[in-house]
Amino acid sequence: MVNSTAAITFENIEKNFGSLRVLRGISGEIHRGEVVAIIGSSGCGKSTLLRCFNRLEAIDGGRLVVNGMDLSKPKLNYRQLRQLRSQVGMVFQQFNLFPHLSVLENLTIAQRKVLGKSAKESAQLAAFYLEKVGLFDKASAYPEQLSGGQKQRVAIARSLCMNPQVILFDEPTSALDPELVCEVLQVMQQLAADGMTMVVVTHEMQFAREVASRVMFLNQGQVEEQGSAREVLTHPKSDRLRAFLSRLN
Ligand code: ADP
Ligand code: MG
């Protein structure tokens, strides 16, 4: 029986790339409405873990259930993958907007092709979310005409247009000039306040402290420490976490 308060459940998951053991038995749970920050040094497996959550990578061992769907199986069919990808949004460091499409088209294409909505209906929802991220006036612009912060806000709006149950963020502000970080974090903070379930890989400790309900610190493919943002960031127990946090300051 799947626990309905858990958006994502993972038990002992493993992922290898050849002989490289990237995830070494990670367990945890993401509850609905929760914002979980994942932190850790470069190469510790943060992106790989996120990518397993929407099946950009298949796990090699353990058990993974995302929004009620069992992703422990080695093969999923096209219909299952499509369902998963529309329920679980992903926002990337490099935005991944379609460069040859306008902002509006970036927001409507998957609604039409994946969800089968009409042009009119998809454009209405796109306009709603563009307004929400403060970019209503950029509907007909192309990605190259936008700042990095604007591109990332478009990417978030695009994700919201699919009406996802969970959104995964992989270092969403790492590619931005420092003065553009805040506008993206504000949009994410608003989403969190609206009750969206979010898993956020980030180096923004202030964001983690203020917005995340829980923080997971990964080290070499394992959860080294986890707890409330206050516990983990203010009173770290492990030496490795203390060293990691002091390097950020
Ligand atoms: P993080 O996001 O924490 O920086 P990653 O999850 O991207 O770490 O990577 C963890 C490890 O797995 C790194 O050693 C990385 O080089 C390796 N890795 C990631 N993706 C692949 C891949 N597709 N093929 C081979 N090795 C990979
Ligand atoms: Mg990464």
Side-chain angles (χ1 to χ4, degrees), residues 220-239:
Q220 296 187 350
Q222 292 183 313
V223 180
E224 169 95 9
E225 190 164 335
Q226 64 173 315
S228 72
R230 177 194 291 267
E231 282 164 4
V232 171
L233 301 175
T234 318
H235 303 290
K237 294 187 191 76
S238 96
D239 290 341

Side-chain angles (χ1 to χ4, degrees), residues 17 20 22 40-49 57 170-171 201:
F17 291 113
L20 186 66
V22 177
S41 309
S42 178
C44 71
K46 304 180 297 296
S47 295
T48 304
L49 181 62
E57 303 289 354
D170 195 355
E171 300 199 35
V201 172

Side-chain angles (χ1 to χ4, degrees), residues 90-125:
M90 182 125 176
V91 173
F92 300 89
Q93 185 174 339
Q94 296 296 342
F95 327 121
N96 294 16
L97 297 177
F98 300 113
H100 59 294
L101 298 182
S102 70
V103 165
L104 183 68
E105 288 161 343
N106 263 280
L107 268 64
T108 55
I109 187 165
Q111 293 189 66
R112 289 165 45 222
K113 303 234 152 143
V114 179
L115 303 181
K117 290 195 192 171
S118 70
K120 187 175 172 203
E121 196 186 357
S122 59
Q124 280 172 345
L125 196 63

Side-chain angles (χ1 to χ4, degrees), residues 103-105 107-108 111 119-139 157-158 161:
V103 165
L104 183 68
E105 288 161 343
L107 268 64
T108 55
Q111 293 189 66
K120 187 175 172 203
E121 196 186 357
S122 59
Q124 280 172 345
L125 196 63
F128 174 80
Y129 283 120
L130 278 179
E131 173 91 62
K132 192 140 180 118
V133 301
L135 291 172
F136 187 72
D137 57 336
K138 297 291 185 191
R158 179 175 64 175
C161 282

